[in-house]
Amino acid sequence: MSDSKISSSPHWRPATRLLHAGLERTEYGETSEALFLTSGFVYDNAEQAAKTFTGEVSHYQYSRFANPTVAALERRLADLEGAEACVATSTGMGAVSAALLSHVKAGDRVVASRALFGSCHWIVANLLPQYGVETVFVDGGDLAAWDDAFSKPTAAVLLESPSNPMLDVLDLAAIAERAHKAGALVIVDNVFASPLYQKPLELGADVVVYSCTKHIDGQGRVLGGAVLGKEDWIKDTLQPFVRNTGNALSPFNAWVMLKGMETLALRVDAMTRNAAAVADYLASAPCIVSVRYPDRKDHPQYDLAQRQMSAGGTMVAFEVAGGQAGAFAFMNALRLIAISNNLGDARSLVTHPATTTHMKIGAEERAKLGISDGAIRFSVGLEDSADLIDDLARGVAALAKG
Ligand SMILES: *Cc1c(COP(=O)(O)O)cnc(C)c1O
């Protein structure tokens, strides 16, 4: 585990970091990262085991605590993010729940933006109150509402931008500044922007969480998550929680994600070009009521998105005419683009949030989030954009008929 063997350079640009950062080559000189599919580790003698447990000796103990393949992924993610430290978790929800639950205690207060991924919303709305934590939701775009929410001391803030599914863009710097005055730890779920297009730590966030299931694996194979932040907080607060509650990433999944990271920039850049192209097509197509894409001038927070993100990302949201019946007719007419609630995959996927990912929050909450019955969330893949547009035209033709 000697640091000199770990590959890293402060001068590398992101594409280089994605391939090389964090690699610790073994004595065999393998080109590709080794997969240490092992639950435990052996010691040379009883003394070494004892010294490992007191911390005098640095040695892997057990893969719930640490594993060389998982550690390589953690180093690569931290290097890409510009974070001091990273802990990988079994899923993205493992990352979000650990970040919150390790930090707060009964009697604390947590503020969150209303537009959150479904399970994140559940943790704030249902789970935290069960443990005596007061929780408050805010309309993310309303800075006066944030000021109100921060009028009392606050332990943590959970934000997502762009948000799922309607791609609202929140002013991360302005919210972080207000949150810090209330004493809060600012946690940003950066899945939709990906580590390439938005740097929450530079905008004032304290902690960044990912579902690595999405763009980082990016090929729809394995689940995983990551929490990134300051070394002290990761070591003293988050890591003991993750290690002792068993929220560990499988070394196999970590290895798949290391492979995924090699092509992350290639995939996400190409998917983003496709997303811009299909958003433009949809905006010009009949029977499409509206299109949301952060890099289009008609996005309600276009200027903010230009400041805060370096590209529009891989997700598009749009509303079709005819409500739920229209959305179902559109989706059922597609032959190439699959119906699936996953996202960030190399394959294009659509979902109807009102009846899937955001079904449980209820009609009233959906209305507050602007999720209409005709809304469709589109995770744009790597296919040829002309084929995607041909397929979308099938959906548009079904709308025109209906
Ligand atoms: C998918 C997702 C999660 C949860 O990640 P899992 O890996 O499915 O547990 C959290 N936040 C956002 C924004 C997501 O898209």
Side-chain angles (χ1 to χ4, degrees):
M1 291 161 81
S2 91
D3 281 354
S4 58
K5 279 169 45 197
I6 293 170
S7 111
S8 160
S9 160
H11 305 298
W12 283 344
R13 292 155 185 89
T16 308
R17 293 176 192 277
L18 285 166
L19 274 161
H20 293 279
L23 171 69
E24 184 185 27
R25 206 162 260 142
T26 74
E27 65 199 73
Y28 296 119
E30 67 282 358
T31 314
S32 171
E33 297 80 2
L35 167 52
F36 289 92
L37 202 56
T38 180
S39 39
F41 300 85
V42 297
Y43 305 94
D44 295 337
N45 48 53
E47 286 78 7
Q48 190 190 38
K51 284 186 175 162
T52 299
F53 276 75
T54 61
E56 291 160 83
V57 163
S58 180
H59 193 288
Y60 284 102
Q61 287 161 283
Y62 186 53
S63 285
R64 172 153 55 73
F65 273 53
N67 170 281
T69 309
V70 176
L73 176 69
E74 291 169 338
R75 288 192 298 262
R76 189 165 299 173
L77 286 168
D79 195 288
L80 178 66
E81 194 70 40
E84 288 178 12
C86 172
V87 167
T89 54
S90 55
T91 64
M93 284 322 302
V96 174
S97 62
L100 282 169
L101 292 170
S102 66
H103 187 76
V104 301
K105 57 183 187 312
D108 277 350
R109 175 185 164 88
V110 168
V111 176
S113 58
R114 197 179 293 287
L116 289 180
F117 184 75
S119 294
C120 298
H121 193 277
W122 182 86
I123 287 181
V124 175
N126 299 66
L127 186 68
L128 291 178
Q130 195 179 316
Y131 293 97
V133 175
E134 181 194 346
T135 65
V136 181
F137 283 105
V138 171
D139 285 328
D142 183 351
L143 286 179
W146 287 105
D147 282 332
D148 255 8
F150 293 136
S151 59
K152 291 188 204 156
T154 301
V157 181
L158 178 64
L159 303 168
E160 192 181 308
S161 180
S163 69
N164 177 39
M166 297 313 292
L167 305 171
D168 296 317
V169 176
L170 307 189
D171 191 336
L172 297 180
I175 298 166
E177 193 194 328
R178 287 163 167 79
H180 286 149
K181 285 191 191 135
L185 181 84
V186 178
I187 306 168
V188 173
D189 182 336
N190 203 36
V191 167
F192 272 44
S194 90
L196 298 175
Y197 294 159
Q198 182 168 271
K199 298 286 180 200
L201 298 178
E202 290 173 11
L203 296 165
D206 303 296
V207 174
V208 181
V209 289
Y210 287 104
S211 166
C212 300
T213 315
K214 310 296 167 53
H215 303 93
I216 289 169
D217 168 29
Q219 287 147 88
R221 300 168 294 194
V222 296
L223 302 180
V227 184
L228 299 110
K230 293 226 165 59
E231 177 131 35
D232 286 352
W233 182 81
I234 294 272
K235 252 175 56 195
D236 301 339
T237 302
L238 182 85
Q239 198 168 59
F241 182 91
V242 170
R243 288 180 167 181
N244 293 303
T245 56
N247 186 1
L249 181 65
S250 153
F252 179 79
N253 290 10
W255 182 83
V256 171
M257 284 163 182
L258 282 163
K259 298 291 102 189
M261 285 187 83
E262 294 181 1
T263 57
L264 181 71
L266 288 175
R267 285 183 287 106
V268 170
D269 287 349
M271 287 154 71
T272 296
R273 284 194 296 278
N274 279 352
V278 302
D280 287 347
Y281 164 75
L282 288 166
S284 69
C287 306
I288 304 294
V289 178
S290 61
V291 176
R292 279 277 183 102
Y293 185 62
D295 211 14
R296 275 182 60 85
K297 289 212 171 71
D298 55 6
H299 187 285
Q301 297 95 33
Y302 172 76
D303 292 332
L304 174 60
Q306 291 298 306
R307 278 207 307 279
Q308 191 166 276
M309 299 170 69
S310 57
T314 65
M315 303 295 295
V316 177
F318 58 99
E319 183 181 347
V320 303
Q324 180 174 321
F328 279 24
F330 185 101
M331 290 165 67
N332 290 338
L334 302 173
R335 284 190 229 140
L336 174 64
I337 303 164
I339 300 171
S340 170
N341 48 277
N342 196 10
L343 64 95
D345 194 307
R347 291 160 196 78
S348 286
L349 306 171
V350 286
T351 195
H352 182 243
T355 54
T356 60
T357 54
H358 291 69
M359 177 264 292
K360 286 218 176 83
I361 65 170
E364 197 183 319
E365 194 67 15
R366 280 198 296 278
K368 285 188 198 158
L369 297 178
I371 306 173
S372 70
D373 289 344
I376 295 175
R377 188 191 77 188
F378 185 3
S379 172
V380 184
L382 277 176
E383 299 89 347
D384 191 304
S385 64
D387 289 328
L388 293 175
I389 289 170
D390 285 350
D391 205 38
L392 294 170
R394 293 187 183 101
V396 170
L399 291 173
K401 247 192 276 161

